[in-house]
Amino acid sequence: MPNFKNSRTAEDIKREMTAILRELKDPRIDPMLSIVRADLSGDMSDCKIYVSSFQGIEKAVESVKGLKSAEGYIKRELFHRLKLRKSPALNFIADNSIERSAEISKKLNDLLS
């Protein structure tokens, strides 16, 4: 049975994380970084946040290092913005889905040409 509160909170986390990313000043974090997905555990104690960069997986991996160093600030901001009872542990994971989708789009355009 799907837990709608979990999925709604995961979407809220994704939305607020996008806003928080724009405020971070760490040079390791890519300005074109995008939040792909946020997976919240059933008990809301752990959250996996998948990030992807337009510049490739290498830049996303470097950005994850910057995000991990700013994890305390990010958790505090999420806690205050979402009015959560307790803030989940954040795990940032680099993902290459934007790069992969750009390659697929290019191949489809080549087929049509």
Side-chain angles (χ1 to χ4, degrees):
M1 182 171 141
N3 188 345
F4 296 110
K5 183 178 180 187
N6 252 5
S7 60
R8 189 173 60 238
T9 305
E11 285 299 315
D12 290 343
I13 289 173
K14 180 181 172 187
R15 183 188 68 242
E16 290 301 328
M17 275 298 304
T18 303
I20 291 170
L21 275 180
R22 304 300 165 236
E23 298 171 5
L24 296 175
K25 304 278 192 270
D26 194 334
R28 293 177 288 186
I29 298 173
D30 184 22
M32 297 299 287
L33 196 68
S34 177
I35 305 293
V36 177
R37 188 173 78 229
D39 288 339
L40 194 59
S41 65
D43 61 352
M44 295 187 182
S45 65
D46 189 46
C47 185
K48 293 179 184 175
I49 299 174
Y50 295 89
V51 296
S52 185
S53 176
F54 286 107
Q55 298 178 357
I57 190 72
E58 297 84 19
K59 194 67 174 167
V61 169
E62 183 180 337
S63 296
V64 164
K65 292 176 185 175
L67 289 170
K68 285 182 181 178
S69 70
E71 183 177 357
Y73 172 77
I74 294 170
K75 280 178 70 168
R76 187 189 68 192
E77 283 294 312
L78 278 176
F79 181 76
H80 289 301
R81 291 180 184 200
L82 296 178
K83 308 286 191 272
L84 297 172
R85 188 171 292 172
K86 73 174 189 174
S87 186
L90 302 176
N91 298 318
F92 298 102
I93 301 168
D95 190 22
N96 66 346
S97 60
I98 291 178
E99 185 180 11
R100 192 169 2 121
S101 64
E103 289 173 11
I104 291 171
S105 177
K106 183 181 180 301
K107 287 179 183 179
L108 289 174
N109 285 335
D110 289 345
L111 285 175
L112 293 175
S113 299

